Amino acid sequence: MSMSAPYPIQLEFQAETHITRWRPLVQWLLAVPQLMVAQALRSLRGVLTLISLFTVLFTEQIPRALFDMIAMTYRYEWRAMSYALFLHEDYPPFDFQPSAADDGVEPHTTLSLTYPERLERWKPLYKWLLAIPHYFVVLALAVGAVFAVIFGFFGVVFTGNYPETARDFLVNAYRYTLRVEAYVGLLTDEYPPFTLAA
C-alpha cells in the first residue's frame, strides 16, 4: 500500500460536540432496538464470512453482492453504536441498503469499504494468525474506550458538550477495530496499519 493510497476501509465522523445533558441517561435505552438489529446482523455477518471463505478459496473473489451485504452490517452496527454511546443525538435509520459505499443516509458518519477485485487464495487460512499483534492493540483500545465513555458521560452531563478528545478516541478505536475485523474477515488483503489516524 502506498503512503498516499487510503486504506480500503474508511470511517469518518463529523458531529457537533453539543449533546443535551439528559441524553447519556436514556440514549442507550433508546438505542436498544437498533442494537438488537445490529446483533442479528453481526450473526448474519458470521455466516456470510464463512461463505466468503469458500468463495475466496475457490474463486479468489468475494461475490460483490455478498461483499456489499457484509459492508452494510458493519455500517449499521457503527450507526447503532455511535448513537448508543451518545456521540450524536440523531436517531439512526433502520437502513438495510447493501452497498460497499456509504449511502449518506446518516448525516454524521460515513463508513465505506473498497471492493477488492481479487484476493489471495490461501490467505484466509492464516490471516487470523498475522493479526495477533492487532488483537492486543484492540484489547487495549477496548479498555481505553470504557474510560473514554465514562469521561464523555460526565462531560455531557455537567457541561452539555462531549469532550472532543474522548469522542475522537472512540471513533478512532472503532475504526482501528473495524480495519482489523475487515482484514481477518477476508474483506481486504491489505494488512491494517498500526495507527489510529484516518
Side-chain angles (χ1 to χ4, degrees):
M1 180 175 71
S2 72
M3 295 304 287
S4 59
Y7 192 73
I9 288 80
Q10 290 294 312
L11 172 77
E12 299 298 331
F13 181 85
Q14 297 291 330
E16 293 293 325
T17 57
H18 175 74
I19 304 290
T20 308
R21 292 184 182 193
W22 56 265
R23 286 247 174 211
L25 303 173
V26 298
Q27 195 152 304
W28 61 272
L29 187 59
L30 298 173
V32 167
Q34 292 282 359
L35 295 173
M36 290 173 65
V37 173
Q39 184 57 43
L41 290 175
R42 180 176 268 276
S43 299
L44 172 64
R45 184 166 66 234
V47 174
L48 298 178
T49 300
L50 182 61
I51 295 169
S52 299
L53 169 67
F54 292 102
T55 65
V56 172
L57 289 176
F58 289 108
T59 69
E60 297 185 341
Q61 281 187 324
I62 295 177
R64 184 61 191 253
L66 194 62
F67 185 90
D68 287 347
M69 183 64 73
I70 293 171
M72 181 272 297
T73 68
Y74 279 115
R75 185 175 303 110
Y76 196 102
E77 180 180 80
W78 167 242
R79 289 173 177 173
M81 286 298 300
S82 65
Y83 179 78
L85 295 174
F86 52 94
L87 298 179
H88 60 88
E89 296 185 352
D90 294 331
Y91 198 75
F94 288 98
D95 179 51
F96 304 99
Q97 182 66 28
S99 172
D102 195 281
D103 54 15
V105 172
E106 167 60 56
H108 304 298
T109 185
T110 58
L111 192 157
S112 299
L113 288 79
T114 302
Y115 178 71
E117 296 296 333
R118 181 183 170 277
L119 294 164
E120 294 291 327
R121 185 185 305 273
W122 302 113
K123 274 193 175 181
L125 301 178
Y126 61 84
K127 283 166 92 171
W128 61 274
L129 278 171
L130 298 177
I132 286 175
H134 282 290
Y135 300 153
F136 291 105
V137 177
V138 167
L139 181 60
L141 290 174
V143 172
V146 171
F147 291 102
V149 170
I150 293 170
F151 183 55
F153 175 87
F154 287 108
V156 172
V157 168
F158 289 114
T159 71
N161 284 296
Y162 208 114
E164 213 165 331
T165 52
R167 188 181 73 174
D168 289 348
F169 178 81
L170 290 171
V171 172
N172 292 337
Y174 190 86
R175 181 188 301 114
Y176 190 102
T177 303
L178 172 65
R179 288 176 174 176
V180 174
E181 283 191 25
Y183 175 73
V184 175
L186 317 178
L187 302 180
T188 181
D189 279 343
E190 291 192 36
Y191 196 71
F194 285 97
T195 179
L196 293 181

